[in-house]
């Protein structure tokens, strides 16, 4: 599991986790069918995807939560681990 951030000029825009970095990168770039919040990042903002940590799958959620709490990203719609029901 990979925990990563999207950033632009020192601003942390988004924190997430994925099993395949390349696929997740392209999904963020496509800006389609996104409920994570990255579709709200301005189109002219050339963000970069930065690996924060590689960890075992079972630790992925807790490590994502740690970075979410520490870095306070601007565009995450839901906090890590939050269900759709909790979000509403």
């Amino acid at each position: 599991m990979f925990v990563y951030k999207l950033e632009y000029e020192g601003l942390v825009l988004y924190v997430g986790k994925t099993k395949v970095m390349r696929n997740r990168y392209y999904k963020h770039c496509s800006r389609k069918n996104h409920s994570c919040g990255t579709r709200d990042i301005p189109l002219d903002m050339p963000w970069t995807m930065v690996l924060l940590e590689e960890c075992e799958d079972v630790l992925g959620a807790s490590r994502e939560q740690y970075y979410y709490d520490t870095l306070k990203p601007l565009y995450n719609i839901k906090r890590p681990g939050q269900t759709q029901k909790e979000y509403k």
Side-chain angles (χ1 to χ4, degrees), residues 29-67:
C29 289
S30 75
R31 303 172 70 103
K32 294 180 182 176
N33 302 319
H34 266 257
S35 60
C36 65
T38 57
R39 67 174 171 225
D40 298 327
I41 296 173
L43 288 170
D44 62 346
M45 188 176 284
W47 51 264
T48 57
M49 186 176 199
V50 179
L51 176 65
L52 294 170
E53 182 175 337
E54 185 176 357
C55 58
E56 294 180 28
D57 288 0
V58 296
L59 297 175
S62 64
R63 298 308 295 156
E64 179 187 21
Q65 182 70 55
Y66 167 78
Y67 287 108

Side-chain angles (χ1 to χ4, degrees), residues 2-5 14-16 21 50-54 67 71:
F2 300 99
V3 182
Y4 66 92
K5 66 180 176 178
Y14 180 83
V15 170
M21 289 284 285
V50 179
L51 176 65
L52 294 170
E53 182 175 337
E54 185 176 357
Y67 287 108
L71 300 174

Side-chain angles (χ1 to χ4, degrees), residues 1-2 9 12-14 22 24 37 40-41 43 46 49 51 56 60-61 63 65 67-68 77 79-80 82 87-88:
M1 182 70 59
F2 300 99
E9 293 186 352
V12 177
L13 306 174
Y14 180 83
R22 176 176 282 189
R24 191 65 174 127
D40 298 327
I41 296 173
L43 288 170
M49 186 176 199
L51 176 65
E56 294 180 28
R63 298 308 295 156
Q65 182 70 55
Y67 287 108
Y68 175 86
I77 290 179
R79 63 177 161 65
Q82 185 178 29
Y87 171 67
K88 291 179 180 185

